Amino acid sequence: MQFRLSQAARSEGYRLHSHDRLDSTNSEAMRLAHGGEAGPLWVTAQRQEAGRGRRGNAWTSPDGNLAASLLLPVAGVAPEVVATLGFVAGCALVDALRDACRSAPSPRRQGEGRDDLVVVEALSPHAERGDALAPQGIAPSHAAIHLKWPNDVLADGQKLAGILLEAETLPGGRRAVVVGFGVNIAATPEGLPYPAAALSAFSAADAPMLLEFLSERFVEAVRIWNKGRGFSNIRRRWLERAAGVGAPVSVRMAEATLTGMFETIDEGGRLVILAPDGTRRTVTAGEVHFGSAATAA
Ligand SMILES: O=C(O)CCCC[C@@H]1SC[C@@H]2NC(=O)N[C@@H]21
């Protein structure tokens, strides 16, 4: 598989290391940082043998799926601001996945679409480039791709992709930040405890094509973020792409489960829940379930 970065990424100085196999692209990017690499550098692996997910879970990438990590320079950015890069990554990934659905629609899905539904993006008052959201009453002709707090990506409500943000302080005091992207493209791993989707059901795009879109969309999103100074714009974009805003959620935290209405995310990226008694609660870490009988992804 021949990976390449978008022209926009290359001209911003992003580089790419492609591997046939690695333990974990996040681990490799962090090893390079320890060896003095500053980034921005993408690391991909066709086969990842010890991929890691959030909350200490393993992440399995069957052949043909995307495993890619980005080592970013973050000198002068406070750790709590660096943490908001997860929302930058989420916006970029959703936009790249929507690009893939739009520019390489799946032959299966194309046949299913009704002619009057194909122009959904042009009709939608909410539409911007790559937006798969349809106006009320009109079904999209391809998957509805949305974010789930903090930074999972869902296709038609099933987990399509995950993001793992890791930061370390290196000897000498420099901070290294790695953003890892795992996308089910060719297949979903077996035996997952949640419903999962693969991009191949919605798009003919392969992993190299998706990386090219992602590297371009990341450059765009990180420019808006502007070392955290533009987080309010990222927050707005994230909310436009999010699933379940204004709807019932329950959030499983370490000690308790909180239920209420998913109101928004705040200026730190925390989940804001309106509880049934009218009080607002903010959540920094937890597992979100939509509705009353939803399954967590
Ligand atoms: O749990 C999640 O949802 C996050 C999954 C992140 C997986 C990706 S695959 C590429 C990168 N390397 C890793 O070891 N993990 C991330």
Side-chain angles (χ1 to χ4, degrees):
M1 242 186 254
Q2 190 71 42
F3 285 97
R4 48 180 257 151
L5 300 182
S6 65
Q7 174 59 43
R10 281 181 279 131
S11 58
E12 289 282 322
Y14 286 68
R15 289 164 295 116
L16 170 67
H17 286 189
S18 288
H19 296 263
D20 289 340
R21 61 168 60 186
L22 278 176
D23 50 352
S24 148
T25 54
N26 265 36
S27 301
E28 171 65 7
M30 204 53 94
R31 283 192 290 269
L32 291 167
H34 277 269
E37 171 67 57
L41 174 73
W42 282 97
V43 177
T44 62
Q46 224 158 294
R47 177 164 300 186
Q48 191 177 234
E49 287 163 347
R52 289 180 281 110
R54 288 191 297 116
R55 299 190 293 267
N57 294 327
W59 180 266
T60 311
S61 310
D63 272 357
N65 285 6
L66 179 69
S69 299
L70 176 59
L71 172 65
L72 280 171
V74 287
V77 184
E80 66 277 13
V81 177
V82 167
T84 66
L85 270 169
F87 297 92
V88 176
C91 290
L93 183 53
V94 162
D95 289 351
L97 287 161
R98 290 180 181 178
D99 289 343
C101 289
R102 202 188 51 256
S103 26
S106 141
R108 263 189 285 168
R109 283 257 163 168
Q110 266 176 331
E112 286 168 19
R114 278 173 31 201
D115 286 352
D116 57 328
L117 299 186
V118 173
V119 288
V120 151
E121 287 178 34
L123 287 173
S124 171
H126 315 293
E128 55 179 84
R129 200 153 75 91
D131 195 335
L133 286 173
Q136 255 193 342
I138 301 180
S141 56
H142 50 72
I145 296 178
H146 293 114
L147 286 157
K148 181 181 156 198
W149 187 88
N151 47 27
D152 283 348
V153 179
L154 307 178
D156 291 343
Q158 303 185 320
K159 183 156 170 172
L160 175 64
I163 294 168
L164 178 65
L165 184 77
E166 294 183 309
E168 277 183 28
T169 303
L170 305 173
R174 190 169 62 85
R175 290 281 286 169
V177 174
V178 173
V179 190
F181 299 86
V183 184
N184 300 328
I185 295 184
T188 57
E190 301 202 343
L192 293 174
Y194 52 79
L199 187 64
S200 58
F202 315 108
S203 166
D206 60 7
M209 190 175 191
L210 184 64
L211 181 75
E212 206 167 329
F213 284 130
L214 178 58
S215 62
E216 170 149 5
R217 289 300 197 160
F218 195 89
V219 166
E220 182 182 290
V222 89
R223 192 179 294 138
I224 293 168
W225 181 69
N226 187 20
K227 297 192 171 184
R229 289 188 281 270
F231 182 67
S232 57
N233 288 326
I234 288 295
R235 173 179 169 269
R236 182 182 45 77
R237 290 169 78 90
W238 191 94
L239 286 166
E240 285 166 3
R241 289 157 179 75
V245 180
V249 282
S250 61
V251 188
R252 198 182 310 145
M253 300 171 296
E255 301 288 304
T257 296
L258 188 63
T259 54
M261 194 259 283
F262 172 14
E263 192 172 58
T264 190
I265 59 170
D266 70 11
E267 283 301 329
R270 291 172 289 262
L271 186 69
V272 181
I273 300 220
L274 186 59
D277 65 2
T279 58
R280 277 192 180 79
R281 302 279 302 272
T282 54
V283 179
T284 49
E287 200 181 298
V288 170
H289 300 240
F290 291 120
S292 47
T295 312

